[in-house]
């Protein structure tokens, strides 16, 4: 039997997300940034984040990728659904749920740079430095976490648990 143990509570996440939103709002005052939300895992984080950023001309776009089978990175990133618009000369913020090995975000940064955005930054809710395989610049970071596989708040394990309102870990009971 496995049970879900809270790793970061909904309250802890909400407080940190508000702080990240305030930083983004301050840095992009008077600009029209495009938040590129990396699906599927980032949709819950992004939904809370954009509602806490008071920038009327903020825009969103979505990029769906597949990089994982179970709990291990395959190292191969597949674009399942591309952006709906060009990002040339745009101020882009890539929104990720978690930077684990860094392979996904590294691949996406290289890909988006070829489309010539004016600026390109990274906002990630979680970073697991213990498993890092490539150095990734994270401009806005929610939490640095230990080497645990976390679920909930949009993150899944085999497509399960995305709807949990908090971040948890699975533990044998
Ligand atoms: P990376 O390429 O290893 O950095 O992996 C990034 C992607 O792997 C994230 O966007 C997640 O979808 C997934 N991932 C990595 N660690 C976890 C975890 O602890 N829980 C759920 N998904 C994870």
């Amino acid at each position: 039997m496995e049970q879900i143990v809270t790793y970061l509570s909904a309250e802890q996440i909400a407080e940190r997300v508000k702080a990240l939103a305030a930083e983004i709002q301050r840095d992009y005052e008077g600009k029209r940034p495009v938040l590129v939300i990396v699906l599927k895992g980032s949709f819950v984080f992004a939904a809370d984040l954009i509602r806490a950023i008071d920038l009327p001309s903020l825009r969103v776009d979505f990029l769906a990728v597949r990089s994982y089978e179970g709990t291990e990175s395959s190292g191969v990133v597949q674009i399942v659904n591309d952006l709906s618009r060009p990002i040339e000369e745009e101020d882009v913020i890539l929104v990720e749920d978690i930077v684990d090995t860094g392979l996904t975000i590294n691949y996406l940064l290289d890909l988006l740079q070829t489309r010539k955005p004016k600026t390109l930054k990274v906002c990630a809710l979680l970073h697991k430095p213990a498993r890092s395989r490539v150095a990734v610049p994270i401009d806005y970071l929610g939490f640095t976490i230990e080497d645990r596989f976390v679920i909930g708040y949009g993150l899944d394990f085999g497509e399960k648990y995305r709807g949990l309102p908090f971040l948890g870990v699975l533990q044998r009971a």
Side-chain angles (χ1 to χ4, degrees):
M1 269 287 284
E2 277 180 330
Q3 68 180 42
I4 298 164
V5 178
T6 303
Y7 188 75
L8 289 168
S9 69
E11 292 74 23
Q12 284 173 298
I13 299 168
E15 194 180 316
R16 196 66 198 110
V17 170
K18 277 208 187 100
L20 288 179
E23 272 186 62
I24 293 173
Q25 187 174 319
R26 189 197 58 212
D27 292 353
Y28 289 84
E29 201 69 68
K31 296 188 176 156
R32 305 174 65 225
V34 183
L35 259 57
V36 169
I37 296 152
V38 185
L39 298 175
K40 300 178 192 169
S42 307
F43 79 106
V44 175
F45 170 45
D48 284 344
L49 187 70
I50 65 159
R51 284 180 293 173
I53 302 175
D54 186 11
L55 290 176
S57 44
L58 175 138
R59 290 162 296 160
V60 296
D61 208 343
F62 301 93
L63 197 56
V65 300
R66 190 182 300 144
S67 62
Y68 259 67
E69 292 296 335
T71 63
E72 280 305 309
S73 179
S74 61
V76 179
V77 181
Q78 190 189 347
I79 304 287
V80 182
N81 222 314
D82 207 338
L83 296 175
S84 67
R85 289 171 161 273
I87 51 164
E88 189 167 349
E89 282 307 304
E90 301 285 6
D91 289 309
V92 174
I93 307 171
L94 195 53
V95 179
E96 254 289 29
D97 50 357
I98 182 164
V99 178
D100 185 19
T101 62
L103 294 171
T104 305
I105 203 90
N106 196 49
Y107 175 87
L108 293 178
L109 283 172
D110 282 352
L111 174 75
L112 295 185
Q113 280 298 3
T114 66
R115 302 182 185 182
K116 304 190 168 38
K118 189 177 189 183
T119 60
L120 178 57
K121 291 201 171 176
V122 174
C123 174
L125 178 65
L126 304 169
H127 182 213
K128 251 191 244 180
R131 286 174 41 94
S132 170
R133 284 173 57 188
V134 280
V136 176
I138 306 177
D139 303 281
Y140 305 98
L141 174 63
F143 301 92
T144 298
I145 63 166
E146 343 154 55
D147 188 6
R148 306 284 299 272
F149 194 83
V150 290
I151 50 167
Y153 199 66
L155 284 89
D156 73 309
F157 174 53
E159 292 298 325
K160 284 164 66 184
Y161 308 115
R162 289 194 199 275
L164 290 177
F166 57 89
L167 279 156
V169 289
L170 289 172
Q171 239 165 47
R172 283 197 189 285

